[in-house]
Amino acid sequence: MLAAVLIGWVALTGRSDPTAPQQKGPGYEADDAVDLVARVDAFTASFRDRRFYRPPTRTDRDTVAQGVLLFLDGHHQQAQERLAAVDFEIRTLVDRGTGRRFAEVFDRSEDGSAPRGWGRIYLPLDSPARWSVQVPHPIADQATERLGTHVLLGSRGGVMIIAGAHRNAGRGDSADMAHRRDSVFDAVCARLAERGFPGLQIHGFAADSAPDYDVIASTGRGRIALAEGRILANGLRDQGFSVCRAWVRDCPLEGRTNVQGRKAAAQHVPFLHVEFGNGLRTDERLTARVVEAVGRLTTAWARG
C-alpha cells in the first residue's frame, strides 16, 4: 500500500521523497506541511466583511468542475491546464497534524483586489476519493468551515467543497451556495453526485431556532440516505447529543429546498443536510466528539 502511495506521489509531484521540502515549479504551487484548519480559517477570515461576489458564467462553472474530475481521474496535467483557463490553480499540501495529503484547488483572484468568491476544493492525495463534505455558508454559519475541515481530516477519501464568500456577499441570494445552481460550488457538488459520491453538507443554527436539540439531521429532498442518517444520528446520540431526525418527525431547518440535496436525490445518491448547534461548532471538545460520531459514517463511505 505504501509503495502505491509513493508511486502516486511521484506521478503527481515528480518528487521521489514525499517527506522532502516541496519545490515550486510550473503547474503547481507547492507548500510544506500546514495546519489545514488554520489555513481554512485564514481563507475565510475576510468573509466577515461580506466581500464582493461575482457570479461565474456557465463556462467558468463547467471548466472548474471538469478540472476537478480530471484530477480525480489521475489526469493531473490536463486538470491543471483546464483550471488555468479560468485562473484556478493547484497546490499540494500536507496537514501536519494528521499527515494527510491534499490537492488544494484555489482561485488566483483570492489574493487580488477584487476576489470573485468562487471557493476552494480539497482533494485527497493519499486515498481514493469517495465522499464529499460541503460547506456552503462559511462564517455566516459560524465555524462550519472549521467543523467541515475537521470532518475532512477525520476520515480518508473525502473531498471538501467550501464556498468562497459570505452568503450575503452578492446581489440578492446570488452567493447563497445552498440555494443556487449557477455557482462553482454547485457545479462541483453536482459532478460528484453524478459519480455517486455521497455528500454531507454542514450548516449551523442559532439556539433559539431549535432549543431542544443540538443537531438537526435531514436527508434533504430525498430519502435515499435513511440508513446513513441513522448511522450519523445514532453516533451523535451516543456522544450525548440530542438529535432531531427529520425522517421521523417535523424539524426546523430540514433543508428540503437545498439544491445540492435535490441533485443528489435525482441521482439516487445519499445526501445528508446537517445543522449543528453553536457549541458543537465552537467548543473544541464538543467538536472532537462530533467528528468521532461523523467518522462512523465517513469511514464507511471511505471503504466504498
Side-chain angles (χ1 to χ4, degrees):
M1 178 63 72
L2 178 59
V5 170
L6 291 175
I7 290 169
W9 185 257
V10 171
L12 172 62
T13 66
R15 297 189 294 117
S16 58
D17 181 1
T19 65
Q22 299 183 29
Q23 303 297 318
K24 294 191 176 185
Y28 288 104
E29 249 188 60
D31 292 338
D32 292 333
V34 301
D35 179 333
L36 193 60
V37 174
R39 187 178 187 86
V40 170
D41 272 348
F43 167 56
T44 58
S46 64
F47 297 4
R48 292 183 178 88
D49 63 9
R50 303 186 182 185
R51 65 181 187 173
F52 178 73
Y53 172 74
R54 191 177 87 196
T57 66
R58 174 176 288 184
T59 298
D60 294 329
R61 303 191 304 265
D62 289 346
T63 299
V64 176
Q66 290 163 6
V68 168
L69 295 187
L70 283 167
F71 194 93
L72 290 177
D73 289 339
H75 305 301
H76 300 142
Q77 185 59 41
Q78 288 178 260
Q80 185 68 19
E81 292 169 358
R82 187 68 55 87
L83 291 164
V86 289
D87 269 346
F88 266 69
E89 202 166 318
I90 300 172
R91 298 184 183 105
T92 56
L93 307 175
V94 181
D95 176 65
R96 67 169 61 97
T98 62
R100 301 278 170 84
R101 295 185 170 94
F102 297 93
E104 179 185 73
V105 180
F106 69 99
D107 184 351
R108 290 174 183 159
S109 81
E110 289 172 8
D111 297 326
S113 58
R116 300 178 293 190
W118 293 355
R120 285 186 184 177
I121 305 100
Y122 290 89
L123 309 172
L125 292 176
D126 52 6
S127 55
R130 299 196 186 280
W131 56 276
S132 76
V133 55
Q134 306 165 12
V135 185
H137 300 147
I139 299 297
D141 285 7
Q142 183 185 7
T144 51
E145 62 280 358
R146 292 179 61 85
L147 179 55
T149 308
H150 281 298
V151 167
L152 177 72
L153 294 171
S155 301
R156 294 189 181 276
V159 174
M160 182 166 72
I161 310 97
I162 182 167
H166 192 285
R167 67 183 296 176
N168 296 328
R171 292 186 178 181
D173 67 348
S174 64
D176 183 352
M177 299 296 105
H179 296 98
R180 299 287 301 211
R181 296 188 185 279
D182 54 350
S183 69
V184 168
F185 181 95
D186 184 69
V188 175
C189 291
R191 298 303 182 277
L192 295 179
E194 289 168 4
R195 291 206 167 189
F197 280 40
L200 175 70
Q201 191 168 111
I202 294 178
H203 294 261
F205 68 93
D208 58 1
S209 297
D212 296 329
Y213 297 103
D214 300 307
V215 184
I216 302 164
S218 172
T219 59
R221 179 72 171 185
R223 295 176 64 83
I224 307 301
L226 282 176
E228 289 86 350
R230 293 187 185 106
I231 292 171
L232 177 65
N234 290 343
L236 290 164
R237 177 203 60 200
D238 292 348
Q239 288 292 333
F241 301 125
S242 176
V243 184
C244 189
R245 307 176 186 223
W247 54 89
V248 174
R249 60 178 57 85
D250 288 337
C251 301
L253 306 171
E254 294 181 350
R256 303 296 185 193
T257 61
N258 181 283
V259 298
Q260 289 80 42
R262 286 173 176 258
K263 174 67 174 181
Q267 298 296 134
H268 301 284
V269 170
F271 173 88
L272 292 172
H273 178 283
V274 189
E275 298 267 357
F276 293 93
N278 183 266
L280 280 65
R281 293 175 274 124
T282 58
D283 184 315
E284 291 186 3
R285 294 169 300 175
L286 297 181
T287 296
R289 287 162 53 191
V290 169
V291 172
E292 183 176 345
V294 174
R296 290 190 187 182
L297 176 61
T298 54
T299 298
W301 280 347
R303 294 186 184 124

